[in-house]
Amino acid sequence: MGVLSNKIGRDQLKPGDHIYSWRLSYLYAHHGIYIGEGQVLHFTRGGHEIGTGTVLDRIILSSSPSPPVGTQCQICGDQSRLDGVISSCIDCFLSGGNLYLFEYGVSPVFYLAKARGGTCTLAKSDPPEDVLHRASYLLQNGFGGYNLFKNNCEDFAVYCKTGLLVVTAISVGRSGQAAAFLAATSAVMSSPLRFLTTSVSGLAAVSYGMYCISRLVSDLGVRRDVVRVPVERLVNQSDLCDPQAAVDSPTPGCVVAAKND
């Protein structure tokens, strides 16, 4: 993997890999877990890759990739109305896009060099067998309600890889994509810092510095408000957007993850 691109070939795929594909001219990426035999498990909202539950979905869905009229995948069939964690062939998952591999256990320098969020994390991945167990279990039992900023396709894939969840009620973003969006917003809205410089280059440097700091502190590999939650306990909760409920009653295997080691 290089700094400029995480693009890989299909022949490089291994079961348990966290993969993604960019959509809408790199506006966002759709994430999933490759389980082998050309199949990918991924998290959707009513068969669509992203959603807010508001009127904005009409704009989002009208711009989302869709198969030509009258065509249907011979392997997957019609998945347009499926909700939650679903299994799709690699072609349906990519939807004509390129294949990319999400990286784990990267250094802070490498992480910040990847200016776009949702491509890597400092957190370490668990062994493939653990990843596949979580993904398969969630396919059968669900991953809670979809939330664009707190429980999306990237959150699903990252949880399958690490078993970690953020437990604070007010979060700066769990997934890399959400964190990058909020970090950019924070950099723009940091009005006190705008007055530290009057030059355009100085303003750009301050804003970019704020963006990098916000992204870094929101990553699972450095933040302290994450817990390791067994998948069997996780699915018993009514709302995964508030995983604190999964750790209120201590149980074996559910421990605070101060460090990802």
Side-chain angles (χ1 to χ4, degrees), residues 3 16 29 63 68 86-87 94 107 119 155 184 188 205-206 240 243 249:
V3 174
S63 304
I86 65 175
S87 176
L94 293 176
S107 68
T119 62
D155 292 307
V188 172
V206 170
L240 294 185
S249 299

Side-chain angles (χ1 to χ4, degrees), residues 58-83:
R58 295 183 181 181
I59 300 176
I60 294 173
L61 300 183
S62 66
S63 304
S64 298
S66 58
V69 177
T71 64
Q72 183 172 288
C73 178
Q74 296 182 353
I75 298 175
C76 302
D78 182 11
Q79 295 188 321
S80 62
R81 297 185 181 276
L82 296 182
D83 193 60

Side-chain angles (χ1 to χ4, degrees), residues 33-189:
I33 297 294
Y34 182 71
I35 60 173
E37 303 297 327
Q39 292 292 307
V40 183
L41 301 189
H42 53 118
F43 188 43
T44 70
R45 180 187 179 92
H48 299 287
E49 297 170 354
I50 58 175
T52 63
T54 69
V55 70
L56 291 176
D57 288 351
R58 295 183 181 181
I59 300 176
I60 294 173
L61 300 183
S62 66
S63 304
S64 298
S66 58
V69 177
T71 64
Q72 183 172 288
C73 178
Q74 296 182 353
I75 298 175
C76 302
D78 182 11
Q79 295 188 321
S80 62
R81 297 185 181 276
L82 296 182
D83 193 60
V85 181
I86 65 175
S87 176
S88 302
C89 69
I90 187 71
D91 287 320
C92 286
F93 173 80
L94 293 176
S95 192
N98 292 319
L99 175 64
Y100 296 86
L101 180 68
F102 194 99
E103 296 184 78
Y104 286 82
V106 303
S107 68
V109 173
F110 187 92
Y111 179 83
L112 291 177
K114 292 276 192 179
R116 187 67 184 268
T119 62
C120 61
T121 176
L122 279 70
K124 297 179 180 179
S125 171
D126 288 332
E129 54 269 25
D130 293 341
V131 177
L132 294 172
H133 169 68
R134 293 186 189 112
S136 299
Y137 197 90
L138 293 174
L139 174 65
Q140 299 298 323
N141 297 277
F143 191 61
Y146 186 100
N147 183 293
L148 182 61
F149 290 102
K150 293 186 177 182
N151 205 50
N152 57 40
C153 61
E154 186 183 342
D155 292 307
F156 162 76
V158 170
Y159 172 74
C160 289
K161 291 287 286 186
T162 65
L164 301 175
L165 289 177
V166 177
V167 295
T168 49
I170 301 177
S171 173
V172 294
R174 296 179 185 175
S175 70
Q177 294 185 91
F181 172 79
L182 294 176
T185 302
S186 174
V188 172
M189 299 301 292

Side-chain angles (χ1 to χ4, degrees), residues 226-251:
V226 296
V227 294
R228 184 175 297 279
V229 182
V231 67
E232 293 82 3
R233 184 168 182 81
L234 181 67
V235 299
N236 291 328
Q237 308 310 313
S238 59
D239 186 1
L240 294 185
C241 291
D242 183 18
Q244 178 63 56
V247 295
D248 282 341
S249 299
T251 58

